Amino acid sequence: MIDTAPISLVVPAVGPTTTQSNRESPRQAARPALIENSLLAAIPRKEYRHLLAGLEPVTLTFGDVLYEPGESIHHVYFPGASLVSLLTLADGHLALEVGLIGREGMVGIPLVLGHSASSVRALVQGSGTALRMASAQFLKEFRLSQSLQYELHRYTHALMAQISQTAACNRFHVVETRLARWLLMTHDRVLSDQFRMTHEFLGHMLGVRRVGVTNAAHSLQNRKLISYSRGDITVLDRKGLEAAACQCYEVVKDMHDGPQPGHAVRHARIPATA
Ligand SMILES: [Zn+2]
């Protein structure tokens, strides 16, 4: 089920808001309209409009597999409200999350690096909107657009930083701090205090057994940082959750966003897990 069957098309197109287009002044027309994906939003408007012709709005559904390791990439995806996990496999069946892609990025980075196949499984972990483009067209646009190249090179670097930081995080940080980090990363991308996530899925994301997830979630709940009930997570105390997360969260966030003015610097707490 690679890349096609479970994805439903969305009509009308997601992208720039056009409802006021008949009345807008030239100055208003020059102002950036709402574009859900921030990577696309960073591209000059004229180039974006050109790209839009080849972008197809889709709805990604929780559990959809966009790519499997070793298989060809047929489309790239620019998530809007959706979230996609990159999972690396061990022994053919043990999956561990190594990257998380939402509205800040693109799914299909191997194409940017000259590879036509994915090395990881790309699994939708948050249902929602996305724009997709066929790989052949994407490669053509990528060669032509310096802005797209610039944004995708920056994003590729940030994604590599996220993946390498996640490797260290999985080795050195305890489940509770990793869960807090993962919840913050999700919170940043869904732009909502509430989202759905089952114990089983969290176990895959964190590479721990179900009981490990239960204990960590209970601890965060007892500290009144989140509420967690039957897969519904609500972030109650964002600042508290940031304090409960390992420093990996800020390291990766700064890579994506640039340093945050006035952001408090905290020292890494590294309780060894082994
Ligand atoms: Zn960490």
Side-chain angles (χ1 to χ4, degrees), residues 175-176 179 199 203 206 208-219:
V175 176
E176 187 175 326
L179 176 59
H199 262 68
L206 299 168
V208 295
R209 293 175 191 275
R210 197 180 156 95
V211 66
V213 176
T214 304
N215 291 341
H218 279 169
S219 177

Side-chain angles (χ1 to χ4, degrees), residues 64-244:
D64 287 353
V65 175
L66 305 181
Y67 315 142
E68 285 285 13
E71 295 186 349
S72 293
I73 294 173
H74 298 295
H75 292 89
V76 299
Y77 295 83
F78 296 91
S82 54
L83 276 180
V84 177
S85 283
L86 302 182
L87 304 171
T88 194
L89 304 185
D91 303 330
H93 66 284
L94 297 171
L96 177 68
E97 185 183 70
V98 294
L100 181 63
I101 302 174
R103 62 182 68 243
E104 81 292 351
M106 186 190 87
V107 187
I109 288 301
L111 293 184
V112 172
L113 301 172
H115 288 269
S116 60
S118 176
S119 61
V120 293
R121 175 180 293 163
L123 176 72
V124 178
Q125 63 137 300
S127 300
T129 53
L131 293 171
R132 77 175 184 183
M133 183 179 280
S135 296
Q137 180 158 11
F138 168 76
L139 287 171
K140 192 173 132 198
E141 302 292 351
F142 182 70
R143 284 187 204 104
L144 291 174
S145 170
Q146 285 193 349
S147 304
L148 191 59
Q149 289 169 23
Y150 175 77
E151 293 302 330
L152 281 167
H153 286 155
R154 280 186 76 233
Y155 175 69
T156 300
H157 179 69
L159 183 64
M160 286 171 64
Q162 186 194 141
I163 290 169
S164 53
Q165 192 72 33
T166 300
C169 190
N170 286 336
R171 173 64 180 82
F172 293 118
H173 293 157
V174 296
V175 176
E176 187 175 326
T177 64
R178 288 198 282 133
L179 176 59
R181 172 191 175 224
W182 189 90
L183 293 172
L184 289 167
M185 289 171 64
T186 303
H187 193 219
D188 288 340
R189 288 163 175 80
V190 300
L191 304 180
S192 168
D193 290 339
Q194 291 183 306
F195 41 92
R196 261 195 80 69
M197 199 53 58
T198 63
H199 262 68
E200 186 183 9
F201 204 73
L202 279 172
H204 285 306
M205 295 307 99
L206 299 168
V208 295
R209 293 175 191 275
R210 197 180 156 95
V211 66
V213 176
T214 304
N215 291 341
H218 279 169
S219 177
L220 295 178
Q221 187 159 249
N222 289 340
R223 293 164 69 182
K224 298 188 174 15
L225 304 179
I226 62 166
S227 71
Y228 186 86
S229 173
R230 296 175 184 274
D232 290 320
I233 293 171
T234 304
V235 175
L236 301 174
D237 178 354
R238 166 81 197 196
K239 287 281 176 207
L241 202 55
E242 288 177 7

